[in-house]
Amino acid sequence: MKSKIILSLFIVFSVMFSAQNTDQQNITKSFSAFLNQLKNKQIDQAVEGMYPKFFTVVPKDQMKMVLNMTYNNPIMKVEILSSKVNAAEKPELIDGEYFSLIDYAMRIRFNAETMNDEMRNSIKNMLVQKYGQGNVMYYKNEMAYYINAKSKAYAISKDKKNWKFLMVEKEMKSNLAKVLPKKILDTL
């Protein structure tokens, strides 16, 4: 009798752990696909993968324009060289939606060859302020910055199947406050 109870508890915990792991694996897989869309400069597809409520604050066309200016700009060529999802938290149900915090990293190349020295220094200061001193390297022979960017995003879903994403950056906090629940904002 005791062994049946222990076996039953083991099975219940195994199923619960497996479901939690599956959610996190699905989030990781979906977010990796989203990052690959950015890497491959598939801006329209990437924007479709973003959290729709964010477009009540920043219109979808404006977001497409910003991303195109970032990733398809011939003057400032920005390329995502690689990306990696480090972790996705267990989804938490808040106000009818599931939220999972994602910790991820990207290696970015920022071409600065068309800029003068003053502009390069200004860009370097901005990048160092955003990513930290040890995460920004300038290679004079390439006239390019290499950035190790560690960031966070939220995966959001109503059904734990179709995930949408929202990047979490300090400079966006006022906009995020308009679309994220207070419980999530308090953790930022």
Side-chain angles (χ1 to χ4, degrees), residues 9 18 34 36 40 45 49 56 58 61 73 81 83-84 96 98 117 123 125 139 146-147 152 177 186:
L9 286 173
S18 175
F34 173 77
N36 277 329
N40 296 324
Q45 293 92 325
T56 62
V58 176
D61 290 341
N73 188 332
L81 301 175
S83 61
K84 179 184 178 198
Y98 292 93
D117 287 339
I123 293 291
N125 291 336
Y139 292 95
Y146 284 81
I147 304 151
K152 297 196 182 299
D186 291 344

PDB file of all heavy atoms in Angstrom, residues 9 18 34 36 40 45 49 56 58 61 73 81 83-84 96 98 117 123 125 139 146-147 152 177 186:
ATOM      1  N   LEU A   9       2.547   9.336  -6.108  1.00  0.00           N
ATOM      2  CA  LEU A   9       3.117  10.680  -5.926  1.00  0.00           C
ATOM      3  C   LEU A   9       4.242  10.943  -6.920  1.00  0.00           C
ATOM      4  O   LEU A   9       4.340  12.032  -7.484  1.00  0.00           O
ATOM      5  CB  LEU A   9       3.632  10.852  -4.486  1.00  0.00           C
ATOM      6  CG  LEU A   9       2.561  11.030  -3.420  1.00  0.00           C
ATOM      7  CD1 LEU A   9       3.184  11.022  -2.038  1.00  0.00           C
ATOM      8  CD2 LEU A   9       1.801  12.320  -3.645  1.00  0.00           C
ATOM      9  N   SER A  18       7.199  17.568 -16.003  1.00  0.00           N
ATOM     10  CA  SER A  18       7.273  17.430 -17.457  1.00  0.00           C
ATOM     11  C   SER A  18       6.466  18.512 -18.153  1.00  0.00           C
ATOM     12  O   SER A  18       6.905  19.109 -19.138  1.00  0.00           O
ATOM     13  CB  SER A  18       6.763  16.052 -17.867  1.00  0.00           C
ATOM     14  OG  SER A  18       6.724  15.930 -19.259  1.00  0.00           O
ATOM     15  N   PHE A  34      11.754  33.818 -33.049  1.00  0.00           N
ATOM     16  CA  PHE A  34      11.569  35.277 -33.106  1.00  0.00           C
ATOM     17  C   PHE A  34      12.916  35.988 -33.282  1.00  0.00           C
ATOM     18  O   PHE A  34      13.062  36.871 -34.131  1.00  0.00           O
ATOM     19  CB  PHE A  34      10.865  35.732 -31.823  1.00  0.00           C
ATOM     20  CG  PHE A  34      10.758  37.217 -31.659  1.00  0.00           C
ATOM     21  CD1 PHE A  34       9.813  37.946 -32.366  1.00  0.00           C
ATOM     22  CD2 PHE A  34      11.596  37.896 -30.784  1.00  0.00           C
ATOM     23  CE1 PHE A  34       9.702  39.328 -32.206  1.00  0.00           C
ATOM     24  CE2 PHE A  34      11.493  39.265 -30.612  1.00  0.00           C
ATOM     25  CZ  PHE A  34      10.548  39.982 -31.324  1.00  0.00           C
ATOM     26  N   ASN A  36      15.614  34.733 -34.523  1.00  0.00           N
ATOM     27  CA  ASN A  36      16.121  34.415 -35.859  1.00  0.00           C
ATOM     28  C   ASN A  36      15.463  35.282 -36.930  1.00  0.00           C
ATOM     29  O   ASN A  36      16.098  35.636 -37.920  1.00  0.00           O
ATOM     30  CB  ASN A  36      15.941  32.927 -36.178  1.00  0.00           C
ATOM     31  CG  ASN A  36      17.055  32.093 -35.592  1.00  0.00           C
ATOM     32  OD1 ASN A  36      18.191  32.547 -35.450  1.00  0.00           O
ATOM     33  ND2 ASN A  36      16.736  30.871 -35.226  1.00  0.00           N
ATOM     34  N   ASN A  40      17.641  37.501 -39.363  1.00  0.00           N
ATOM     35  CA  ASN A  40      17.498  37.383 -40.819  1.00  0.00           C
ATOM     36  C   ASN A  40      16.782  38.577 -41.442  1.00  0.00           C
ATOM     37  O   ASN A  40      16.429  38.552 -42.619  1.00  0.00           O
ATOM     38  CB  ASN A  40      16.765  36.089 -41.170  1.00  0.00           C
ATOM     39  CG  ASN A  40      17.567  34.872 -40.765  1.00  0.00           C
ATOM     40  OD1 ASN A  40      18.790  34.859 -40.854  1.00  0.00           O
ATOM     41  ND2 ASN A  40      16.886  33.846 -40.281  1.00  0.00           N
ATOM     42  N   GLN A  45       7.623  39.691 -40.108  1.00  0.00           N
ATOM     43  CA  GLN A  45       7.332  38.493 -39.324  1.00  0.00           C
ATOM     44  C   GLN A  45       7.659  38.722 -37.844  1.00  0.00           C
ATOM     45  O   GLN A  45       6.914  38.286 -36.962  1.00  0.00           O
ATOM     46  CB  GLN A  45       8.124  37.283 -39.838  1.00  0.00           C
ATOM     47  CG  GLN A  45       7.698  36.822 -41.215  1.00  0.00           C
ATOM     48  CD  GLN A  45       8.517  37.473 -42.329  1.00  0.00           C
ATOM     49  OE1 GLN A  45       8.917  38.619 -42.250  1.00  0.00           O
ATOM     50  NE2 GLN A  45       8.751  36.717 -43.384  1.00  0.00           N
ATOM     51  N   GLY A  49       5.238  38.737 -34.266  1.00  0.00           N
ATOM     52  CA  GLY A  49       5.522  37.938 -33.088  1.00  0.00           C
ATOM     53  C   GLY A  49       5.562  38.743 -31.795  1.00  0.00           C
ATOM     54  O   GLY A  49       5.811  38.203 -30.725  1.00  0.00           O
ATOM     55  N   THR A  56      -0.704  49.379 -28.807  1.00  0.00           N
ATOM     56  CA  THR A  56      -1.585  50.449 -28.348  1.00  0.00           C
ATOM     57  C   THR A  56      -0.755  51.640 -27.861  1.00  0.00           C
ATOM     58  O   THR A  56      -1.265  52.745 -27.750  1.00  0.00           O
ATOM     59  CB  THR A  56      -2.520  49.980 -27.211  1.00  0.00           C
ATOM     60  OG1 THR A  56      -1.741  49.588 -26.079  1.00  0.00           O
ATOM     61  CG2 THR A  56      -3.406  48.834 -27.672  1.00  0.00           C
ATOM     62  N   VAL A  58       2.911  51.954 -28.930  1.00  0.00           N
ATOM     63  CA  VAL A  58       3.766  52.239 -30.086  1.00  0.00           C
ATOM     64  C   VAL A  58       3.090  51.581 -31.287  1.00  0.00           C
ATOM     65  O   VAL A  58       3.014  50.353 -31.351  1.00  0.00           O
ATOM     66  CB  VAL A  58       5.190  51.663 -29.894  1.00  0.00           C
ATOM     67  CG1 VAL A  58       6.039  51.878 -31.128  1.00  0.00           C
ATOM     68  CG2 VAL A  58       5.855  52.260 -28.657  1.00  0.00           C
ATOM     69  N   ASP A  61       3.166  50.233 -37.297  1.00  0.00           N
ATOM     70  CA  ASP A  61       3.953  50.820 -38.396  1.00  0.00           C
ATOM     71  C   ASP A  61       5.202  51.519 -37.878  1.00  0.00           C
ATOM     72  O   ASP A  61       6.262  51.455 -38.503  1.00  0.00           O
ATOM     73  CB  ASP A  61       3.107  51.807 -39.211  1.00  0.00           C
ATOM     74  CG  ASP A  61       2.042  51.102 -40.037  1.00  0.00           C
ATOM     75  OD1 ASP A  61       2.169  49.880 -40.266  1.00  0.00           O
ATOM     76  OD2 ASP A  61       1.090  51.781 -40.456  1.00  0.00           O
ATOM     77  N   ASN A  73      19.571  49.472 -42.235  1.00  0.00           N
ATOM     78  CA  ASN A  73      20.108  50.801 -42.478  1.00  0.00           C
ATOM     79  C   ASN A  73      21.490  50.680 -43.132  1.00  0.00           C
ATOM     80  O   ASN A  73      22.411  50.123 -42.529  1.00  0.00           O
ATOM     81  CB  ASN A  73      20.218  51.550 -41.140  1.00  0.00           C
ATOM     82  CG  ASN A  73      20.580  52.994 -41.305  1.00  0.00           C
ATOM     83  OD1 ASN A  73      21.230  53.382 -42.259  1.00  0.00           O
ATOM     84  ND2 ASN A  73      20.169  53.796 -40.347  1.00  0.00           N
ATOM     85  N   LEU A  81      24.813  38.452 -34.829  1.00  0.00           N
ATOM     86  CA  LEU A  81      25.677  37.350 -35.234  1.00  0.00           C
ATOM     87  C   LEU A  81      25.204  36.028 -34.633  1.00  0.00           C
ATOM     88  O   LEU A  81      25.262  34.988 -35.285  1.00  0.00           O
ATOM     89  CB  LEU A  81      27.122  37.629 -34.824  1.00  0.00           C
ATOM     90  CG  LEU A  81      27.724  38.908 -35.407  1.00  0.00           C
ATOM     91  CD1 LEU A  81      29.111  39.160 -34.832  1.00  0.00           C
ATOM     92  CD2 LEU A  81      27.773  38.838 -36.923  1.00  0.00           C
ATOM     93  N   SER A  83      22.525  34.349 -31.169  1.00  0.00           N
ATOM     94  CA  SER A  83      21.637  34.589 -30.033  1.00  0.00           C
ATOM     95  C   SER A  83      21.431  33.277 -29.293  1.00  0.00           C
ATOM     96  O   SER A  83      21.546  32.199 -29.876  1.00  0.00           O
ATOM     97  CB  SER A  83      20.299  35.165 -30.494  1.00  0.00           C
ATOM     98  OG  SER A  83      19.650  34.264 -31.358  1.00  0.00           O
ATOM     99  N   LYS A  84      21.139  33.412 -28.010  1.00  0.00           N
ATOM    100  CA  LYS A  84      20.951  32.227 -27.183  1.00  0.00           C
ATOM    101  C   LYS A  84      19.963  32.555 -26.072  1.00  0.00           C
ATOM    102  O   LYS A  84      20.098  33.571 -25.400  1.00  0.00           O
ATOM    103  CB  LYS A  84      22.276  31.804 -26.568  1.00  0.00           C
ATOM    104  CG  LYS A  84      22.170  30.600 -25.672  1.00  0.00           C
ATOM    105  CD  LYS A  84      23.498  30.283 -25.006  1.00  0.00           C
ATOM    106  CE  LYS A  84      23.293  29.092 -24.075  1.00  0.00           C
ATOM    107  NZ  LYS A  84      24.342  28.966 -23.105  1.00  0.00           N
ATOM    108  N   GLY A  96      -5.605  36.642 -16.792  1.00  0.00           N
ATOM    109  CA  GLY A  96      -6.030  35.893 -17.975  1.00  0.00           C
ATOM    110  C   GLY A  96      -4.950  35.636 -19.008  1.00  0.00           C
ATOM    111  O   GLY A  96      -5.239  35.098 -20.072  1.00  0.00           O
ATOM    112  N   TYR A  98      -0.692  34.289 -19.571  1.00  0.00           N
ATOM    113  CA  TYR A  98       0.499  33.677 -18.986  1.00  0.00           C
ATOM    114  C   TYR A  98       1.718  34.535 -19.332  1.00  0.00           C
ATOM    115  O   TYR A  98       1.871  34.964 -20.481  1.00  0.00           O
ATOM    116  CB  TYR A  98       0.695  32.260 -19.521  1.00  0.00           C
ATOM    117  CG  TYR A  98      -0.361  31.305 -19.042  1.00  0.00           C
ATOM    118  CD1 TYR A  98      -1.506  31.071 -19.805  1.00  0.00           C
ATOM    119  CD2 TYR A  98      -0.228  30.650 -17.819  1.00  0.00           C
ATOM    120  CE1 TYR A  98      -2.490  30.199 -19.357  1.00  0.00           C
ATOM    121  CE2 TYR A  98      -1.211  29.777 -17.368  1.00  0.00           C
ATOM    122  CZ  TYR A  98      -2.332  29.567 -18.136  1.00  0.00           C
ATOM    123  OH  TYR A  98      -3.306  28.709 -17.700  1.00  0.00           O
ATOM    124  N   ASP A 117      35.199  60.174 -36.455  1.00  0.00           N
ATOM    125  CA  ASP A 117      35.668  59.813 -35.113  1.00  0.00           C
ATOM    126  C   ASP A 117      34.732  60.307 -34.004  1.00  0.00           C
ATOM    127  O   ASP A 117      34.479  59.598 -33.029  1.00  0.00           O
ATOM    128  CB  ASP A 117      37.086  60.340 -34.873  1.00  0.00           C
ATOM    129  CG  ASP A 117      38.125  59.547 -35.654  1.00  0.00           C
ATOM    130  OD1 ASP A 117      37.826  58.396 -36.038  1.00  0.00           O
ATOM    131  OD2 ASP A 117      39.234  60.074 -35.872  1.00  0.00           O
ATOM    132  N   ILE A 123      28.755  57.054 -30.336  1.00  0.00           N
ATOM    133  CA  ILE A 123      28.106  55.743 -30.418  1.00  0.00           C
ATOM    134  C   ILE A 123      28.690  54.804 -29.359  1.00  0.00           C
ATOM    135  O   ILE A 123      27.955  54.095 -28.665  1.00  0.00           O
ATOM    136  CB  ILE A 123      28.249  55.129 -31.833  1.00  0.00           C
ATOM    137  CG1 ILE A 123      27.463  55.937 -32.857  1.00  0.00           C
ATOM    138  CG2 ILE A 123      27.853  53.657 -31.846  1.00  0.00           C
ATOM    139  CD1 ILE A 123      25.957  55.862 -32.720  1.00  0.00           C
ATOM    140  N   ASN A 125      30.071  55.554 -26.483  1.00  0.00           N
ATOM    141  CA  ASN A 125      29.576  55.944 -25.158  1.00  0.00           C
ATOM    142  C   ASN A 125      28.145  55.456 -24.929  1.00  0.00           C
ATOM    143  O   ASN A 125      27.805  54.975 -23.848  1.00  0.00           O
ATOM    144  CB  ASN A 125      29.665  57.456 -24.969  1.00  0.00           C
ATOM    145  CG  ASN A 125      31.088  57.938 -24.872  1.00  0.00           C
ATOM    146  OD1 ASN A 125      31.988  57.185 -24.504  1.00  0.00           O
ATOM    147  ND2 ASN A 125      31.316  59.198 -25.208  1.00  0.00           N
ATOM    148  N   TYR A 139      36.842  47.249 -32.903  1.00  0.00           N
ATOM    149  CA  TYR A 139      37.946  46.725 -33.698  1.00  0.00           C
ATOM    150  C   TYR A 139      38.228  47.708 -34.827  1.00  0.00           C
ATOM    151  O   TYR A 139      37.454  47.808 -35.783  1.00  0.00           O
ATOM    152  CB  TYR A 139      37.605  45.333 -34.241  1.00  0.00           C
ATOM    153  CG  TYR A 139      37.525  44.297 -33.149  1.00  0.00           C
ATOM    154  CD1 TYR A 139      36.310  43.965 -32.573  1.00  0.00           C
ATOM    155  CD2 TYR A 139      38.677  43.666 -32.688  1.00  0.00           C
ATOM    156  CE1 TYR A 139      36.230  43.033 -31.560  1.00  0.00           C
ATOM    157  CE2 TYR A 139      38.619  42.730 -31.672  1.00  0.00           C
ATOM    158  CZ  TYR A 139      37.381  42.418 -31.108  1.00  0.00           C
ATOM    159  OH  TYR A 139      37.313  41.493 -30.108  1.00  0.00           O
ATOM    160  N   TYR A 146      31.649  45.252 -31.583  1.00  0.00           N
ATOM    161  CA  TYR A 146      31.061  43.957 -31.275  1.00  0.00           C
ATOM    162  C   TYR A 146      30.484  44.067 -29.876  1.00  0.00           C
ATOM    163  O   TYR A 146      31.166  44.507 -28.953  1.00  0.00           O
ATOM    164  CB  TYR A 146      32.095  42.837 -31.361  1.00  0.00           C
ATOM    165  CG  TYR A 146      32.417  42.471 -32.789  1.00  0.00           C
ATOM    166  CD1 TYR A 146      33.310  43.227 -33.543  1.00  0.00           C
ATOM    167  CD2 TYR A 146      31.794  41.383 -33.400  1.00  0.00           C
ATOM    168  CE1 TYR A 146      33.590  42.903 -34.861  1.00  0.00           C
ATOM    169  CE2 TYR A 146      32.070  41.057 -34.722  1.00  0.00           C
ATOM    170  CZ  TYR A 146      32.968  41.826 -35.441  1.00  0.00           C
ATOM    171  OH  TYR A 146      33.236  41.505 -36.748  1.00  0.00           O
ATOM    172  N   ILE A 147      29.250  43.668 -29.750  1.00  0.00           N
ATOM    173  CA  ILE A 147      28.522  43.854 -28.501  1.00  0.00           C
ATOM    174  C   ILE A 147      28.019  42.503 -27.997  1.00  0.00           C
ATOM    175  O   ILE A 147      27.418  41.730 -28.756  1.00  0.00           O
ATOM    176  CB  ILE A 147      27.310  44.794 -28.714  1.00  0.00           C
ATOM    177  CG1 ILE A 147      27.784  46.114 -29.308  1.00  0.00           C
ATOM    178  CG2 ILE A 147      26.539  44.995 -27.425  1.00  0.00           C
ATOM    179  CD1 ILE A 147      26.755  46.800 -30.165  1.00  0.00           C
ATOM    180  N   LYS A 152      16.494  40.856 -21.461  1.00  0.00           N
ATOM    181  CA  LYS A 152      15.327  40.125 -20.977  1.00  0.00           C
ATOM    182  C   LYS A 152      14.131  40.474 -21.859  1.00  0.00           C
ATOM    183  O   LYS A 152      14.088  41.535 -22.472  1.00  0.00           O
ATOM    184  CB  LYS A 152      15.035  40.495 -19.528  1.00  0.00           C
ATOM    185  CG  LYS A 152      16.170  40.110 -18.589  1.00  0.00           C
ATOM    186  CD  LYS A 152      15.744  40.124 -17.164  1.00  0.00           C
ATOM    187  CE  LYS A 152      16.857  39.786 -16.216  1.00  0.00           C
ATOM    188  NZ  LYS A 152      17.462  38.499 -16.354  1.00  0.00           N
ATOM    189  N   ALA A 177       4.802  50.107 -18.713  1.00  0.00           N
ATOM    190  CA  ALA A 177       3.836  50.331 -17.626  1.00  0.00           C
ATOM    191  C   ALA A 177       2.408  50.445 -18.157  1.00  0.00           C
ATOM    192  O   ALA A 177       1.455  50.197 -17.423  1.00  0.00           O
ATOM    193  CB  ALA A 177       4.214  51.585 -16.848  1.00  0.00           C
ATOM    194  N   ASP A 186       6.493  45.320 -11.148  1.00  0.00           N
ATOM    195  CA  ASP A 186       7.204  45.366  -9.871  1.00  0.00           C
ATOM    196  C   ASP A 186       8.477  44.521  -9.874  1.00  0.00           C
ATOM    197  O   ASP A 186       9.358  44.734  -9.043  1.00  0.00           O
ATOM    198  CB  ASP A 186       6.285  44.925  -8.722  1.00  0.00           C
ATOM    199  CG  ASP A 186       5.182  45.938  -8.450  1.00  0.00           C
ATOM    200  OD1 ASP A 186       5.288  47.082  -8.918  1.00  0.00           O
ATOM    201  OD2 ASP A 186       4.197  45.562  -7.772  1.00  0.00           O
TER     202      ASP A 186
END
